[in-house]
Each structure stands twice: as C-alpha cells, then as structure tokens.
Amino acid sequence: MQVSLLLARQIIQLFLILLMGYATVKAGLLKASDSKVISVLMVYLVCPCMILNAFQIEDTPEIRKGLVYAMILAAAMHVVLLAVTALLRRPLKLDMVEQVNTIYSNAGALVIPLVQELLGQDYVIYSSAYIAVQLILLWTQGKNMLCEEEK
C-alpha cells in the first residue's frame, strides 16, 4: 500500500510539473522551442548531478558488490528490452523513435524518489547504476538507432 501511495504521489508531482510547463508556455514566459534547452540541462547537468550525489556514501565491499550486480542487471535488462523491441518492431510497426522510447525509459523520474522514500538515500546508488548504464547505452546504441548509423 505504501508503494502505491508513493507512486501515486510521484505521478501527481510529474503531472503538476507538466501543468506548470503548459501554463508557463501559455503565459508567454517560455516558448515551446525552449524545451530543448531544458532537456539539455536535464541530460547534461541534473542527471549527472543526481548520479554523483548517489555515490556520496561510504565505500564498502558490500556496496561495490551490489553496484556491480546492479550494473550487470541493468545491462541484462537492456538486452532483454532490445530483443523484445526487435521482435515486436515489425508486428507493431514501430518507427525508430518508438523503438528507442521502448528500450530507454525515463527511469530516474520515478525510481530515484521511490527508492529514496522506501529504502533510504544509501540505496539510491543502485538505481543510479541502472541510470548510468542506460545513459551510456542511450548515448551510443540509442544515438546510432536514431541516426540510423551502423557503427
């Protein structure tokens, strides 16, 4: 029950952020084209800062071991998502953007606040490991998919 309430609260917060963005554009404070600047700030500043902040904990062998497991599981999960997307691409007529969106989710927006609330700040490092693996794959394999490059 607690997880459901936390998830609902996060979804409501994201919806409120969406409404504030809509109101900001309608009020003329921002243009729709400004979303690129905000996205760049999120990808190159906020997300790396969240990951670095998660790593500001005491270094122990258990944490290193858990971090390695989290990265292996993140890589395995992305392999599964790549395979499922490859299988469903033709039957669902997915274009390249839809395929990339299927493989690379917006995990950080919901997962990090949920982990913080349920398990505490010390466990955010493991969800950050997932996000780090995802960002590396997104900036390499995902970019290649979107740009239709072979290498």
Side-chain angles (χ1 to χ4, degrees):
M1 182 69 176
Q2 182 184 9
V3 175
S4 298
L5 291 174
L6 288 171
L7 187 58
R9 189 173 74 196
Q10 270 316 115
I11 291 171
I12 290 169
Q13 286 176 355
L14 289 173
F15 184 71
L16 290 173
I17 290 169
L18 176 108
L19 287 177
M20 288 188 305
Y22 177 78
T24 304
V25 170
K26 279 295 184 188
L29 298 171
L30 289 174
K31 298 181 290 256
S33 62
D34 293 335
S35 67
K36 181 177 181 181
V37 174
I38 294 169
S39 295
V40 166
L41 283 173
M42 287 297 293
V43 169
Y44 293 107
L45 183 66
V46 174
C47 206
C49 286
M50 285 185 343
I51 292 171
L52 288 174
N53 185 52
F55 281 80
Q56 302 305 309
I57 60 173
E58 186 179 336
D59 184 23
T60 65
E62 293 83 23
I63 289 176
R64 286 185 194 172
K65 188 176 179 181
L67 192 57
V68 169
Y69 286 148
M71 289 182 162
I72 290 169
L73 289 172
M77 186 66 191
H78 282 89
V79 168
V80 169
L81 290 169
L82 282 163
V84 168
T85 303
L87 289 172
L88 296 177
R89 179 181 59 211
R90 284 197 178 98
L92 297 178
K93 296 180 176 87
L94 299 175
D95 65 23
M96 205 55 72
V97 172
E98 292 167 333
Q99 291 176 53
V100 170
N101 282 326
T102 302
I103 298 165
Y104 304 106
S105 67
N106 188 2
L110 289 175
V111 173
I112 288 180
L114 286 174
V115 170
Q116 270 181 321
E117 195 71 30
L118 290 173
L119 303 173
Q121 182 65 31
D122 291 346
Y123 288 88
V124 173
I125 191 169
Y126 305 118
S127 54
S128 293
Y130 179 89
I131 293 168
V133 168
Q134 179 173 341
L135 286 175
I136 290 167
L137 291 172
L138 178 61
W139 289 340
T140 55
Q141 192 273 335
K143 180 210 175 262
N144 286 354
M145 283 181 72
L146 289 172
C147 296
E148 296 181 1
E149 299 172 346
E150 292 297 319
K151 296 182 179 180

